[in-house]
Amino acid sequence: MTRFAFTVEFDGRPFMGWQRQAHGPSVQQRLEDAILAVTGERAVIHAAGRTDAGVHGLAMRAHADVAKDIAPFRLMEAINAKLRPDPVAILACEPVAGDWHARFSCIGRAYVYRIANRRAPLTFERGLVWRVIQPLDADAMQEAAQILVGRHDFTTFRSAHCQAQSPVKSLDRLDVARDGDRIAIHAAARSFLHHQVRSMVGCLALVGMGRWTADDLRAALEAKDRAALGLNAPPDGLYFMRADYPPA
Amino acid sequence: MTRFAFTVEFDGRPFMGWQRQAHGPSVQQRLEDAILAVTGERAVIHAAGRTDAGVHGLAMRAHADVAKDIAPFRLMEAINAKLRPDPVAILACEPVAGDWHARFSCIGRAYVYRIANRRAPLTFERGLVWRVIQPLDADAMQEAAQILVGRHDFTTFRSAHCQAQSPVKSLDRLDVARDGDRIAIHAAARSFLHHQVRSMVGCLALVGMGRWTADDLRAALEAKDRAALGLNAPPDGLYFMRADYPPA
């Protein structure tokens, strides 16, 4: 039995999310089906994060145990061939120690959230960015974002369906940068609550529009109450970008 | 009657090309239909370039004459509303002089061609980039590209269907740059022959793969013979990027 670690890119638009669902396509199901087709084995694939419906992956990390004697490169190529025509691709595949776990060994996660700050309807990127029509002040957003960095009770920014035991998380980074009509928001932490990034982005957008001040954001955080949330950004712009692990 | 200049973004995937066709959807037809729906007028829209099926537009310039008394911003918004759900959007709209012509007044055109130089199948960008599996030497491509810059007979790089009177064109710029697994090729000229950019890119890719030397590229140019073409790149990666006009 060999444990293989995978780096997975996926377009979340056609999926109900990463995790296998009874009533619709998921990235997990597609990957497990592809592994079955290649190896004849019903492997279970574990991921660093379980993204929601419509959320994308640039480099999700995942692992599965495979009994078949197959080289990593051949396994990757064969899975990719079976994944067609779904918009899921294995970018890298390597054998790892038997106790390496994509989710439990992960010590850092990074997301990027992409906004198209423009009036015109989207063409190439429908479902791949959040279009915000109102002009956003990215500098004000970046300044306000620093209020959220650090160790806080993020109850305000947590979905009612969140299964985490504690709402207290340490946010290592929340950076807002504009490039033309694009705004990218980079978030990094050991782990995130359910909807945390989208909820933070939604409230930062209110700051960018001038509808919220930085003090309003601070008050929302301190309220520790989901009802204090200003806006939950749509899944369209959210990408799981990186998972970090201790050196082997 | 007011002449309006438009800046148009479009995803070329669902279209048979810019120009109106008897047997399939075109960007021109969609735009003319939208103008008709907004103004009740059967305007003819003229563009700086007529892109092929599957070729995209980041900022195509076009114009049309409209009798209805309507402000540019309202015209743009109304056309964009009528264009839904097609992946075509007007980014800018302004009144111009009655003798301004999107095609005949244009003194410079720029394209970008995007390559994804990777093994993994595409997810987000199917039809939006050319995936090349073989590792490409972008420095060798950039060096060879300079052979094509300047005034030449581009017969080798011209489609059999090209309607231009002369195969002699002045290529102002052909630059190849790598960013991670992405290679962007920027081309600029007063005007291009049919398939010229795709044909140049295809041959540069052969250089990048090591299948052609720079001397092979020079020989292909000097052959002035379509049969000397090594490879015509697919439309997927081609974007009409900019049209230049004399200051008003």
Side-chain angles (χ1 to χ4, degrees):
Chain A
M1 199 71 121
T2 304
R3 180 157 291 189
F4 287 100
F6 302 103
T7 304
V8 186
E9 180 184 277
F10 61 92
D11 178 340
R13 286 177 290 190
F15 299 109
M16 313 262 308
W18 174 277
Q19 201 164 20
R20 188 179 273 274
Q21 308 274 332
H23 306 293
S26 64
V27 183
Q28 181 184 7
Q29 174 228 317
R30 290 293 197 260
L31 284 168
E32 289 175 356
D33 288 355
I35 292 172
L36 175 63
V38 170
T39 65
E41 302 169 46
R42 293 201 176 276
V44 174
I45 191 155
H46 297 268
R50 285 163 301 175
T51 51
D52 278 330
V55 175
H56 317 289
L58 295 176
M60 177 61 81
R61 297 299 296 278
H63 79 263
D65 294 326
V66 171
K68 183 184 170 86
D69 182 26
I70 185 168
F73 182 78
R74 266 203 59 217
L75 179 61
M76 174 176 78
E77 293 276 291
I79 294 173
N80 279 340
K82 296 292 181 190
L83 284 168
R84 266 176 226 152
D86 290 310
V88 182
I90 312 257
L91 303 182
C93 170
E94 69 270 347
V96 288
D99 62 351
W100 188 94
H101 196 290
R103 181 174 172 201
F104 298 121
S105 305
C106 182
I107 54 170
R109 291 163 173 89
Y111 286 87
V112 61
Y113 195 99
R114 294 178 175 160
I115 294 173
N117 192 201
R118 65 184 231 172
R119 180 119 199 134
L122 298 172
T123 60
F124 303 103
E125 298 185 291
R126 277 190 210 155
L128 295 177
V129 297
W130 180 25
R131 176 173 67 122
V132 176
I133 292 175
Q134 300 92 332
L136 294 172
D137 180 341
D139 293 335
M141 293 168 71
Q142 165 65 7
E143 201 179 319
Q146 305 323 305
I147 293 168
L148 301 176
V149 173
R151 187 172 172 81
H152 302 288
D153 179 329
F154 282 100
T155 296
T156 303
F157 301 91
R158 176 189 197 185
S159 139
H161 304 291
C162 183
Q163 290 169 20
Q165 292 190 341
S166 163
V168 176
K169 292 283 174 190
S170 279
L171 181 62
D172 299 325
R173 179 188 181 198
L174 190 62
D175 283 321
V176 182
R178 177 182 281 279
D179 177 15
D181 69 1
R182 297 313 165 104
I183 292 174
I185 300 170
H186 283 90
R190 183 175 182 98
S191 62
F192 289 91
L193 299 167
H194 190 225
H195 280 191
Q196 187 182 342
V197 178
R198 289 168 52 189
S199 295
M200 296 190 301
V201 166
C203 293
L204 287 178
L206 292 179
V207 172
M209 294 171 195
R211 286 171 53 190
W212 270 24
T213 64
D215 283 342
D216 292 330
L217 182 68
R218 191 186 306 276
L221 174 66
E222 290 173 356
K224 297 170 193 165
D225 178 357
R226 183 68 176 166
L229 182 76
L231 185 62
N232 196 34
D236 311 45
L238 186 58
Y239 294 74
F240 187 98
M241 206 175 74
R242 204 181 68 242
D244 297 322
Y245 298 89
Chain B
M1 199 69 122
T2 304
R3 179 159 292 190
F4 287 99
F6 302 103
T7 304
V8 185
E9 180 183 276
F10 61 92
D11 178 342
R13 285 177 290 188
F15 297 109
M16 313 260 313
W18 173 277
Q19 202 163 19
R20 189 180 271 275
Q21 307 274 330
H23 306 293
S26 64
V27 183
Q28 180 184 7
Q29 173 227 319
R30 290 293 196 261
L31 283 167
E32 289 174 357
D33 288 355
I35 293 172
L36 174 64
V38 171
T39 65
E41 302 168 46
R42 296 201 173 276
V44 175
I45 190 155
H46 298 268
R50 286 164 298 177
T51 52
D52 278 330
V55 174
H56 316 290
L58 296 176
M60 177 60 81
R61 297 298 298 277
H63 80 262
D65 294 325
V66 171
K68 183 184 171 86
D69 182 25
I70 185 168
F73 182 79
R74 268 203 57 216
L75 179 62
M76 176 175 76
E77 292 276 291
I79 294 174
N80 280 341
K82 296 293 181 190
L83 285 168
R84 264 174 227 156
D86 291 310
V88 181
I90 311 258
L91 304 182
C93 169
E94 72 269 345
V96 289
D99 62 350
W100 188 94
H101 195 289
R103 180 174 173 201
F104 298 119
S105 304
C106 181
I107 55 170
R109 292 163 173 91
Y111 286 88
V112 61
Y113 194 100
R114 294 177 174 161
I115 294 173
N117 191 201
R118 68 185 229 170
R119 179 119 200 134
L122 298 172
T123 62
F124 302 103
E125 298 184 292
R126 277 190 210 154
L128 295 177
V129 296
W130 180 27
R131 176 173 67 121
V132 177
I133 293 176
Q134 299 92 332
L136 294 173
D137 180 341
D139 293 335
M141 292 167 71
Q142 166 65 7
E143 200 180 318
Q146 305 323 306
I147 292 168
L148 300 176
V149 172
R151 187 172 171 81
H152 301 288
D153 179 330
F154 282 100
T155 296
T156 304
F157 302 91
R158 175 190 197 184
S159 141
H161 304 290
C162 182
Q163 289 168 22
Q165 290 190 342
S166 162
V168 176
K169 291 284 175 190
S170 279
L171 181 62
D172 298 326
R173 178 188 180 197
L174 190 61
D175 283 321
V176 182
R178 178 182 281 279
D179 178 14
D181 69 1
R182 297 312 167 102
I183 292 173
I185 300 169
H186 283 90
R190 185 175 182 98
S191 63
F192 289 92
L193 299 167
H194 189 226
H195 280 191
Q196 187 181 344
V197 179
R198 289 168 55 188
S199 296
M200 295 191 301
V201 166
C203 293
L204 287 177
L206 292 179
V207 172
M209 294 171 195
R211 286 170 54 190
W212 269 24
T213 64
D215 282 343
D216 291 330
L217 182 69
R218 190 187 308 276
L221 174 66
E222 289 173 356
K224 300 170 193 165
D225 177 358
R226 184 67 177 166
L229 182 76
L231 186 61
N232 196 33
D236 311 45
L238 187 58
Y239 295 74
F240 187 97
M241 206 173 76
R242 205 183 66 243
D244 298 321
Y245 298 88

